[in-house]
Amino acid sequence: MPDYNDDLRLAHVLADAADAATMERFKAIDLKVETKPDLTPVTEADKAAEELIRGQLARARPRDAVLGEEYGSEGGGARRWIVDPIDGTKNYVRGVPVWATLISLAVRGEGGDEVVVGVVSAPALGRRWWAAKGGGAYTGRSLSSATRLHVSGVGRLADASFAYSSLSGWEEAGRLEGFLHLTRNCWRTRGYGDFWPYMMVAEGSVDICAEPELSVWDMAANDVIVREAGGRFTSLEGESGPFGGNAAASNGLLHEELLGYLGRI
């Protein structure tokens, strides 16, 4: 199995640079906010963080491709870095500390693209999570000061904690009936949103989570972290990985049941 430790170390360096840029402008009274064509907000910090990451990648991995939320796709080849400079921009704009920079590396193989490195850095929460293929998933302050992550052992939906982002998205996707049925059969539901529920699945504090519509940069880093913690990450239709346009993550034990509720339209 290839060793991705050097790529993981680089991803941490990239996250450090992004954290410095985003925290400098977090809660700034003169923060510049624009509206993108899809009517979602983008700030100067989103753009600055992605520019920093792209600049460092151009120097450290000049042959690798890059896909980012703000500046699109650049380059080709079998290795592609996928970047969301601020996942949770609406929180960032309002001063809510639940936002993170998501950095991942996908490698093309015989079965298609696979995410092999992921870092999720949430500096306003003082948290960071990461994983590399075959090396496990961790959380901590640094590579040398970390705790290994494991998903929960909850095997019954009636005992499960389910996290989601919003109600409206499920209605717009035509999946509201299944979503509501699922919530009625779980022990607990909470609308944490964005990257956080996936990290809680990896930590074992939440058992299942899902979102009805996402881009690959919203999911790629979360995917490898959940899998390396022992869980499963698929689309709502059961396609493995972060490339299906939506997401379902679990401790593995509850995954088919989760898909049974949310995969129906």
Side-chain angles (χ1 to χ4, degrees):
M1 182 182 294
D3 183 340
Y4 296 104
N5 286 334
D6 284 346
D7 294 308
L8 180 60
R9 282 190 286 270
L10 174 59
H12 275 273
V13 172
L14 299 174
D16 289 342
D19 286 355
T22 53
M23 285 300 292
E24 183 180 1
R25 300 299 292 155
F26 184 49
K27 295 187 178 181
I29 60 174
D30 60 342
L31 181 71
K32 295 178 182 177
V33 184
E34 302 172 12
T35 301
K36 294 192 288 189
D38 63 0
L39 302 183
T40 60
V42 58
T43 73
E44 61 185 274
D46 292 80
K47 295 179 178 180
E50 186 167 325
E51 287 171 351
L52 276 172
I53 292 169
R54 284 177 177 270
Q56 292 199 29
L57 284 172
R59 293 187 291 272
R61 297 289 190 275
R63 296 183 179 180
D64 292 355
V66 182
L67 172 65
E69 179 176 11
E70 306 308 334
Y71 294 105
S73 183
E74 182 179 0
R79 290 167 48 95
R80 179 174 60 159
W81 293 87
I82 303 172
V83 178
D84 188 343
I86 299 180
D87 182 53
T89 299
K90 292 176 182 177
N91 284 344
Y92 186 90
V93 168
R94 292 298 300 271
V96 178
V98 184
W99 50 271
T101 296
L102 279 53
I103 301 168
S104 58
L105 172 64
V107 175
R108 188 174 306 137
E110 292 182 1
D113 285 355
E114 179 186 17
V115 183
V116 296
V117 167
V119 171
V120 172
S121 190
L125 292 176
R127 297 293 310 275
R128 184 176 291 187
W129 303 261
W130 64 88
K133 182 180 179 180
Y138 295 85
T139 186
R141 294 288 183 177
S142 66
L143 283 165
S144 60
S145 177
T147 302
R148 187 155 187 173
L149 301 177
H150 297 281
V151 296
S152 75
V154 173
R156 292 196 330 137
L157 196 62
D159 300 325
S161 180
F162 170 46
Y164 61 95
S165 57
S166 71
L167 200 63
S168 60
W170 295 101
E171 186 171 23
E172 292 166 6
R175 300 178 190 263
L176 183 59
E177 183 179 350
F179 171 83
L180 293 175
H181 193 33
L182 172 62
T183 64
R184 296 184 187 111
N185 284 277
C186 291
W187 167 64
R188 191 168 189 257
T189 62
R190 285 294 183 272
Y192 298 110
D194 301 307
F195 67 94
W196 206 5
Y198 302 96
M199 299 303 97
M200 287 191 280
V201 167
E203 291 179 336
S205 53
V206 163
D207 310 299
I208 55 177
C209 68
E211 290 182 88
E213 184 177 3
L214 292 168
S215 298
V216 64
W217 48 75
D218 298 313
M219 298 183 280
N222 300 334
D223 163 51
V224 67
I225 293 170
V226 168
R227 288 189 290 107
E228 285 295 323
R232 283 187 65 188
F233 191 107
T234 71
S235 70
L236 296 175
E237 289 71 37
E239 174 190 349
S240 295
F243 304 105
N246 48 49
S250 77
N251 62 5
L253 300 173
L254 298 168
H255 206 80
E256 292 304 322
E257 211 167 351
L258 173 63
L259 296 180
Y261 282 97
L262 300 181
R264 301 193 296 262
I265 297 183

